[in-house]
Amino acid sequence: MGKWQGYCRVFDESGLIILHETFILFLIGVVVNRDNVDGAMNLNLGCGHSLLDEYINVDIKLPCNVILDLRDKLPFADESIDEVFACCVITSLSLAEWQNIKSDWVRVLKPSGRLIILDHDVNEYMRIFLLKEITRRECTDVIWGSDQWGWCKQGVVAEDIISDLVQEGIAVTEFSNQDPRTLEIVFTK
């Protein structure tokens, strides 16, 4: 079990979180155990059930280490985070929500910190659909979402994400679209 895995899952019989002395309760209601990070501070935003070792796993509901609506400002100091990882998060935000929070993801990054975006590129899905490499259902599940994976509020297009984040003052250092279904962009502050 990872150092952060399970820290938000301790409840008493009434369903309230039991806080140990090493927990810090922020006034905004976020619980973080900072004693379990060895040096680097890494965030896994929108973790769902994919809890990563050596990361503070953040989501709107359990299981996670920090309960937070990602449309809200991150409860971390400026330039305090080494790496922000976001897998399939941008599609769950509306365009307006993305425009409002993207600068906050950059704000918390340390100089030379990395922002890693993994998502599905709508343009690539449309291309492979038109080549009949995937079914209509596979294509629409990516564009609009599904009951299984959640509903999408916007389609991710690599060029738009790159443009948005470069305007925030970070640079693309890696770009991969080797598997047309998985877009990976790494930015460095």
Side-chain angles (χ1 to χ4, degrees):
M1 182 176 284
K3 292 183 179 185
W4 287 97
Q5 194 168 359
Y7 281 98
C8 282
R9 292 190 240 173
V10 182
F11 297 93
D12 66 11
E13 60 278 351
S14 68
L16 296 174
I17 293 177
I18 300 169
L19 299 177
H20 299 283
E21 62 275 355
T22 55
F23 277 57
I24 299 169
L25 177 61
F26 289 89
L27 293 176
I28 61 171
V30 176
V31 180
V32 179
N33 182 340
R34 292 186 187 271
D35 293 340
N36 288 300
V37 178
D38 294 327
M41 288 279 286
N42 302 316
L43 299 180
N44 176 15
L45 299 180
C47 65
H49 291 277
S50 299
L51 304 179
L52 300 177
D53 293 344
E54 308 302 324
Y55 283 78
I56 301 170
N57 296 287
V58 180
D59 210 330
I60 198 165
K61 61 183 179 179
L62 298 175
C64 65
N65 311 115
V66 175
I67 298 173
L68 180 72
D69 185 332
L70 291 178
R71 296 171 294 185
D72 297 335
K73 185 177 178 180
L74 295 173
F76 300 95
D78 295 358
E79 299 185 345
S80 63
I81 303 296
D82 295 285
E83 184 172 286
V84 174
F85 176 76
C87 180
C88 299
V89 173
I90 299 172
T91 54
S92 67
L93 302 167
S94 71
L95 183 57
E97 291 164 347
W98 166 243
Q99 295 300 326
N100 286 333
I101 60 96
K102 64 183 178 177
S103 62
D104 200 47
W105 293 9
V106 175
R107 174 191 65 80
V108 299
L109 282 176
K110 290 179 179 177
S112 300
R114 294 174 2 129
L115 170 59
I116 302 170
I117 305 283
L118 269 67
D119 225 310
H120 304 290
D121 188 324
V122 171
N123 284 348
E124 286 299 309
Y125 265 86
M126 293 301 293
R127 184 186 66 74
I128 61 177
F129 169 71
L130 292 172
L131 294 172
K132 300 188 185 302
E133 294 177 14
I134 61 171
T135 66
R136 179 190 60 79
R137 171 53 86 191
E138 289 174 299
C139 188
T140 58
D141 281 357
V142 167
I143 296 171
W144 291 291
S146 67
D147 288 331
Q148 180 182 5
W149 300 108
W151 296 97
C152 298
K153 292 184 179 180
Q154 69 165 318
V156 170
V157 176
E159 294 80 13
D160 294 343
I161 299 304
I162 290 169
S163 174
D164 285 348
L165 289 167
V166 166
Q167 288 175 15
E168 295 297 329
I170 60 177
V172 176
T173 52
E174 296 176 42
F175 177 86
S176 174
N177 216 358
Q178 292 175 356
D179 175 356
R181 299 176 196 206
T182 305
L183 169 68
E184 180 179 348
I185 312 171
V186 179
F187 298 87
T188 303
K189 188 170 183 180

